[in-house]
């Protein structure tokens, strides 16, 4: 970039705006921009599909635990907390599966930015119940290991 271009950019810069140092030749064309949008569109779907098997495995382990003989010896509060964690994992899985279903129902290929926003919100929202469920599970495991409520908290 030459000295003249730098002077032009700095002369036309306004506070609060970004400095765009690219020339017209360096900016992506509409076709390249469309490809980038399609890549981001596919990336969001793949991201949700990548996380989902881990949650499903955790859900499976949680279901198996109920049939363990030691589960009956747990305190009623811990059993109820475990049930809440199971529901939270289920909610998290539902939120992660929603972008793919939403894509199939609405055919968002015409507006990938809208789909990206919706899918990002759903994936982000799925993390909150997952975090709560993992916290409850950590509490129950710590309580069972050390037989101490104060240590579990």
């Amino acid at each position: 970039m030459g000295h003249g271009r730098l002077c032009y950019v700095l002369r036309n810069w306004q506070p609060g705006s970004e400095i765009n140092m690219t020339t017209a030749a360096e900016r992506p064309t509409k076709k390249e921009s469309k490809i980038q949008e399609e890549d981001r569109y596919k990336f969001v779907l793949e991201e949700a599909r990548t996380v989902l098997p881990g949650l499903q495995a955790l859900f499976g382990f949680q279901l198996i635990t109920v049939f363990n003989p030691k589960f009956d010896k747990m305190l009623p509060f811990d059993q109820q907390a475990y049930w809440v964690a199971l529901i939270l994992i289920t909610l998290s899985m539902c939120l992660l599966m929603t972008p793919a279903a939403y894509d199939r129902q609405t055919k968002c290929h015409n507006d990938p930015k809208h789909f990206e926003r919706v899918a990002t919100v759903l994936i982000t929202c799925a993390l909150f119940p997952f975090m709560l469920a993992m916290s409850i599970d950590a509490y129950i495991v710590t309580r069972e290991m050390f037989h101490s409520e104060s240590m579990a908290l």
Side-chain angles (χ1 to χ4, degrees), residues 15-121:
S17 65
E18 293 184 20
I19 296 178
N20 187 359
M21 299 293 282
T22 60
T23 62
E26 295 170 338
R27 290 187 200 116
T29 63
K30 285 186 178 184
K31 184 177 181 181
E32 290 171 342
S33 176
K34 179 100 171 141
I35 292 171
Q36 289 173 352
E37 284 180 5
E38 288 175 8
D39 287 344
R40 290 196 329 231
Y41 180 84
K42 290 176 186 175
F43 179 72
V44 170
L45 278 175
E46 288 174 10
E47 193 174 277
R49 289 180 184 137
T50 302
V51 176
L52 189 59
L55 276 177
Q56 289 171 330
L58 178 62
F59 181 73
F61 284 122
Q62 283 188 315
L63 285 177
I64 291 171
T65 304
V66 175
F67 300 106
N68 190 331
K70 195 170 181 179
F71 186 80
D72 293 333
K73 297 176 185 172
M74 288 172 56
L75 295 174
F77 175 78
D78 290 349
Q79 289 177 347
Q80 292 167 354
Y82 197 80
W83 180 80
V84 169
L86 191 67
I87 297 299
L88 288 169
I89 288 293
T90 305
L91 174 64
S92 188
M93 284 190 326
C94 290
L95 288 169
L96 278 176
M97 288 188 283
T98 303
Y102 182 75
D103 175 45
R104 283 188 213 104
Q105 294 293 320
T106 60
K107 309 266 190 281
C108 286
H109 299 288
N110 296 334
D111 191 6
K113 287 183 181 180
H114 171 73
F115 174 75
E116 184 182 356
R117 281 191 305 270
V118 169
T120 301
V121 167

Side-chain angles (χ1 to χ4, degrees), residues 112-136:
K113 287 183 181 180
H114 171 73
F115 174 75
E116 184 182 356
R117 281 191 305 270
V118 169
T120 301
V121 167
L122 288 167
I123 292 169
T124 303
C125 289
L127 295 176
F128 184 70
F130 175 68
M131 175 198 63
L132 290 175
M134 291 303 295
S135 300
I136 291 169

